[in-house]
Amino acid sequence: MQGSIEGTAVDRVGQQYQTDSAAAHEEHPDHRIFGIIVFLVAESMIFLGLFVAYLTFRAVYPSWPPEGTPERELLLPGINTILLVSSSFVIHQADTAIKNNNVAKFRAWFAATGLMGAIFLVGQLYEYFHLEFGLKTNLYASTFYVLTGFHGLHVLFGLILILAVLWRSRSQNHYSSQHHFGIEAAELYWHFVDVVWVILFVLLYLL
Amino acid sequence: MTNAEMPIVANPPAAKQHGHAHKERRWQDYFTFNTDHKVIGIQYLVTSFIFYLIGGVMADVMRTELATPASDLVPPEMYNNLLTLHGTIMIFMWIVPAGAGLGNYLIPLMIGARDMAFPKLNALAFWMIPIGGVMLVGSLLIEAPQAGWTSYPPLSLVSGKVGEGIWIFSLLILGTSSILGAINFLTTILKMRVPSMGLNDMPVFCWSMLSTSALILLSTPVLAGALILLAFDLLVGTAFFNPLGGGDPIVYQHMFWFYSHPAVYIMILPLFGAISDIIPVHSRKPLFGYRAVAYSSVAIAFLGLIVWAHHMFTSGTPAWLRMFFMITTMVIAVPTGIKIFSWLGTMWGGKISLNSAMLFAMGFVGMFVIGGISGVMVASVPFDIHVHDTYFIVAHLHYVLFGGSVFGIFAAIYHWFPKMTGRMMNEPLGQIHFVLTLIGMNLTFMPMHKLGLMGMNRRIAMYDPRFTSLNQMATVGAYILAVSTFPFLINAIWSWWKGKPAADNPWNALTLEWMTTSPPAIENFEVLPVITHGPYDYGVDPEHDNRENEPPLTSPELQPDSSPLS
């Protein structure tokens, strides 16, 4: 046995075996939340690329916003921003509720988040129809519509996620204090969408 | 004790607990939405190889066109289509997915996991590849893109809407697939290792896939952003990149290269890792400088992210910015050099067996060094301005991507084929394949250095007659490369079907994937192995072990316990 490959291999992997492979699975911490975070990093990079492109357009363009761009109304997007930011606190309440095993409370907070997101989207659509510039008016208008529209798609996807979680909770009673990955994933995603909006609001409306 | 008696191999009992005992691998599995990482790995490899052949045929049509100075074989528009598709297919449909395929097959085995972290996502990521690829190749029937694989606006905005649109959307699909794959790799490598395996116990291939995935994760989304804006310009008529409407085409170049320069490392890093795992095994020596090699992958990934503008030295970049990108680009030669010296140090004094895997690995080192040196040359601004958009660049990139990545993929296939299929490949055929590939590749791409220095532009179908003889040389080389794929194809298909059955560990390697059966059971390991030593050791065939009087070759750092070989 001395010096043989087999002897070495056995030494390397050791003599103790885990007999129950199901137990071995449990040794891994929940990797799914990690996966969601990694996914959100990729999402952030799309937005980061678009933000930097926007800032470059802005820096290179002679005057910004380009002449002839109508004044931007701040009231509606301001309300929308407050709505979205507060919805982050609301969805966190849902997370706390489910960790205390309070399913009814979790559903209520979650539904409230969904409602706030829906109002945000309606507000954004209302704004689109009442703005005095179109997608092709100038570079500012194009970046405005593409960036807010891309963010709006993310809000829409977040709403679908929230509805899916609510549906699973109602029809399958799927979530408990021990088992709430879907809720946490939706919450993380929602926070992400929220943070992106705050940056967008500053870039496109305030600066 | 023989391999067959090893207690850690084998399969059934644990599999039964999971209710998979009835499952046996069937050939149909490879054509369906299967979630086993081993099936997906082979799906990736076979699919990408098919696209390698398609891209290769396109290259040979172009080389035939270039055998004479006149544009007489295909219409110029068709030449541009082939040029665009060849570049896009070879990068996005062959080398990147082949690296992902190797990673998919090997990573869970190497870290003692039963599967990737997200098996369904994994299968989804794979199936996006054929969809994107069929769109790309199918565009030849409708209207193919012809703005080059870089698709710079404003050219891409005026060269045909349909073809360009297809190009953008297939690239978005391929990019999404690549991001999903990266999420899976990062999670698998960081969270799914057997509990006894620390990061510094992982094989170098895992380190390189980790770095590659981080690169994909950070850079591919930016390309997606650029493509979304380009699609708006093309289809809706906005003017992000269109100077006519006040847009800035340079912004596209920045966003494009922020992905496409790291893409070079996305293509080469997995193969760096594979080569670092192959050379020690066939040299019968431990990898020289494990930690330096492992961390240099991370360094390359980081530096790869901050050098993109060296593709834009002639795009009106300010001088101080050029300086920054020139220096950072040259610095990448340092971690790369660490790897090359490690491979040479591993081979030094080793008992090298010149089988096909090792031949391709050594070919990889040699060819990549040539590509790396011409890379340092073009990193310097004045030289780059001289050779920009000439055949020198074509030569450089093919030494890196063909001499590097493609040689590396072949080395990996020859090395892991016994594990994947349970059968050995035919050695003489493999060696013929290697010799033909080596001759063909150098005959094709070496003359291009000279052509570039003489001033021949790239991306053209007709040229000055004084370039004729060197071009004809390259064309002959391209035909030899075409011929070289036949011994490989015959070998792979025949060996898979009727080859000599392989032992579980035919090379006496010491990474975890060789500790299970060949091919591995559906759940990889009967019991998850426990790691007690570092990742690298060297397998010694007991019959040929005459090292008793030699000092131990394993580094004490990697072997905290007394050497098991003493």
Side-chain angles (χ1 to χ4, degrees), chain A residues 32-45:
Chain A
R32 292 178 297 177
I33 285 293
F34 184 83
I36 296 286
I37 293 171
V38 175
F39 167 72
L40 291 180
V41 171
E43 285 267 41
S44 312
M45 286 308 292

Side-chain angles (χ1 to χ4, degrees), chain B residues 149-166:
Chain B
W149 84 278
T150 54
S151 221
Y152 278 176
L155 173 64
S156 53
L157 299 177
V158 295
S159 64
K161 230 176 211 178
V162 180
E164 190 61 24
I166 294 176

Side-chain angles (χ1 to χ4, degrees), chain B residues 353-489:
Chain B
S353 52
L354 285 177
N355 52 33
S356 314
M358 188 61 180
L359 285 173
F360 269 102
M362 289 163 78
F364 172 98
V365 179
M367 296 301 102
F368 184 81
V369 164
I370 298 176
I373 289 172
S374 60
V376 176
M377 290 164 78
V378 291
S380 80
V381 176
F383 186 79
D384 179 76
I385 288 172
H386 180 64
V387 298
H388 184 84
D389 261 349
T390 68
Y391 260 85
F392 190 88
I393 304 295
V394 181
H396 159 67
L397 77 91
H398 280 93
Y399 266 91
V400 175
L401 293 184
F402 196 103
S405 305
V406 178
F407 272 57
I409 293 170
F410 282 131
I413 291 175
Y414 281 106
H415 182 73
W416 279 291
F417 192 87
K419 179 51 63 184
M420 293 179 177
T421 63
R423 295 187 185 269
M424 303 298 289
M425 280 184 108
N426 178 291
E427 265 308 314
L429 273 177
Q431 285 164 10
I432 294 171
H433 175 212
F434 171 73
V435 171
L436 285 176
T437 314
L438 189 72
I439 295 173
M441 119 129 232
N442 282 294
L443 198 57
T444 310
F445 302 117
M446 193 54 91
M448 292 183 183
H449 288 111
K450 179 109 193 281
L451 281 172
L453 291 172
M454 287 164 75
M456 180 171 163
N457 273 1
R458 66 195 279 203
R459 303 189 175 107
I460 52 171
M462 49 201 296
Y463 52 86
D464 192 306
R466 73 199 167 95
F467 302 131
T468 311
S469 58
L470 286 172
N471 266 301
Q472 284 170 345
M473 225 194 239
T475 303
V476 172
Y479 291 156
I480 295 177
L481 276 183
V483 172
S484 79
T485 48
F486 287 102
F488 174 77
L489 266 181

Side-chain angles (χ1 to χ4, degrees), chain B residues 270-283:
Chain B
L271 288 321
F272 279 171
I275 294 297
S276 307
D277 277 356
I278 292 170
I279 285 182
V281 171
H282 298 285
S283 308

Side-chain angles (χ1 to χ4, degrees), chain A residues 179-205:
Chain A
H179 191 93
H180 47 73
F181 163 70
I183 297 168
E184 264 179 278
E187 188 196 350
L188 274 175
Y189 183 82
W190 198 257
H191 290 323
F192 163 78
V193 168
D194 194 5
V195 170
V196 168
W197 175 256
V198 173
I199 300 172
L200 269 182
F201 182 70
V202 172
L203 281 183
L204 293 174
Y205 292 92

Side-chain angles (χ1 to χ4, degrees), chain A residues 11-13 21 27-28 45, chain B residues 191 193 218 510 530 532:
Chain A
D11 279 351
R12 278 181 77 256
V13 295
S21 64
E27 298 223 12
H28 295 297
M45 286 308 292
Chain B
K191 292 282 177 191
R193 296 189 311 275
L218 294 178
L510 276 174
V530 177
T532 57

